[in-house]
Amino acid sequence: MNYQGVIEVSELAALLAHEERQQDTDGHVVILDCRYDLADTEAGHNAFLAEHIPGAQYASLHGDLSGPCDRYGGRHPFPTQQQFVEFARGKGINTNTQVIVYDAQRFAFAARAWWLLRHFGHQRVAILNGGYGAWKRAQLDTESGAAQATSAGNFSADAAAQDLLSYEDIYPHLNTPPWQLVDARESKRFLGNEEPIDPIAGHIPGAINKPWQSITDDDGMVLSIAALKAHWQSIPADDDIVCYCGSGVTACVNLFSLFLIGRKARLYPGSWSDWCAHILHPRSTAASA
């Protein structure tokens, strides 16, 4: 049992059936429900309490998958290693745990959990194809109410610092970038025609646009490997890719799609919201770079 990319509803149902029969919990399955609504921060948790996949636990974008906000770092900063270790252990995640994450937003928030787990050294994590909608369409069992781990996990982190780039990494190389920046936001935000969230419209100079919704169909099912390869073929195979979005969340959907086709990429976690903060409140070192 080692799922690291997409897991289908039928495969998860089989894992849960197996979980009921096995006695050894060291390699057990942990399911994280990552449903969320940026406009209503409690909507995802309320939806979870009303109904969720049996055995799932809730993971909140702002409460579990992000750190505290500051002037810099974006609207959804990465949690510290210690914060994430405490979260993972609280969910009962061990070294050999198979983690399954899902949402109802075409991987928008599940991919963030997937990326964080991998960044902190846990490879056995997969995203449920089609999310909660696919589970419901399959007419499989659900449950309601609060849920928590039966025991604490022994998760330990081994963060991959090379996975991340900061403003200070990117800014000095704007004129001769050694990477291709990829903006995951909708094209109207990328082009600066509309900006409903951040204080400045536009994008980082030199970036190209690959909207995160483009890797799934309208039902939230991931596109075929052939389609994903075609989606990314405009970027040469040997180019270093750095993904960003508004706040480092939906960029993880692009990172997930690149993983599925065997291409490596890095994340600018602060993303456009952090870039705007540096424009509005430049540090002396950045201003003189």
Side-chain angles (χ1 to χ4, degrees):
M1 179 175 62
N2 189 356
Y3 293 91
Q4 296 189 28
V6 170
I7 184 170
E8 302 297 334
V9 162
S10 59
E11 293 173 317
L12 178 55
L15 281 182
L16 292 180
H18 175 71
E19 184 88 346
E20 290 182 355
R21 297 190 300 269
Q22 72 175 8
Q23 299 299 316
D24 178 17
T25 60
D26 183 55
H28 70 305
V29 179
V30 167
I31 305 172
L32 299 179
D33 184 318
C34 304
R35 286 177 287 175
Y36 195 76
D37 185 338
L38 292 172
D40 180 355
T41 59
E42 295 303 318
H45 188 229
N46 290 337
F48 171 83
L49 292 174
E51 191 178 60
H52 56 262
I53 293 174
Q57 302 173 72
Y58 187 65
S60 164
L61 172 63
H62 72 276
D64 301 314
L65 306 178
S66 301
C69 290
D70 204 341
R71 170 170 287 188
Y72 304 109
R75 283 180 280 107
H76 297 106
F78 256 34
T80 66
Q81 179 166 305
Q82 184 57 39
Q83 288 170 336
F84 194 78
V85 166
E86 291 176 1
F87 158 73
R89 289 181 178 177
K91 299 302 182 184
I93 299 175
N94 297 323
T95 302
N96 294 324
T97 297
Q98 175 66 65
V99 183
I100 308 299
V101 296
Y102 72 88
D103 60 28
Q105 292 91 3
R106 298 173 68 170
F107 306 167
F109 306 110
R112 168 76 166 214
W114 175 87
W115 178 259
L116 279 170
L117 281 158
R118 292 182 61 84
H119 170 70
F120 286 113
H122 194 83
Q123 305 300 310
R124 300 177 69 172
V125 53
I127 300 180
L128 180 63
N129 200 10
Y132 194 63
W135 187 267
K136 290 287 288 182
R137 288 193 296 273
Q139 300 182 332
L140 293 166
D141 290 342
T142 62
E143 63 183 18
S144 60
Q148 59 185 16
T150 56
S151 62
N154 60 15
F155 179 88
S156 62
D158 183 15
Q162 68 273 15
D163 287 346
L164 307 177
L165 288 179
S166 67
Y167 174 88
E168 288 75 16
D169 294 321
I170 296 171
Y171 182 82
H173 299 285
L174 284 184
N175 292 329
T176 56
W179 44 64
Q180 177 59 67
L181 287 167
V182 177
D183 189 318
R185 296 173 300 162
E186 295 175 314
S187 59
K188 56 190 175 184
R189 291 183 66 194
F190 174 80
L191 294 171
N193 296 331
E194 178 182 309
E195 183 46 67
I197 304 174
D198 292 307
I200 301 173
H203 61 266
I204 299 173
I208 63 172
N209 191 208
K210 296 283 186 181
W212 63 274
Q213 299 96 329
S214 300
I215 77 145
T216 55
D217 63 21
D218 291 341
D219 288 328
M221 305 295 289
V222 69
L223 302 182
S224 68
I225 296 299
L228 291 177
K229 287 182 177 179
H231 178 71
W232 290 103
Q233 67 180 358
S234 60
I235 303 177
D238 57 352
D239 275 16
D240 188 7
I241 299 175
V242 177
C243 295
Y244 78 93
C245 55
S247 63
V249 177
T250 55
C252 295
V253 182
N254 276 349
L255 289 164
F256 179 66
S257 69
L258 286 162
F259 169 82
L260 293 178
I261 61 172
R263 296 192 65 172
K264 294 182 178 180
R266 291 185 281 176
L267 174 66
Y268 171 23
S271 290
W272 182 244
S273 54
D274 177 64
W275 196 267
C276 290
H278 282 87
I279 293 174
L280 294 173
H281 308 285
R283 289 171 170 161
S284 57
T285 53
S288 60

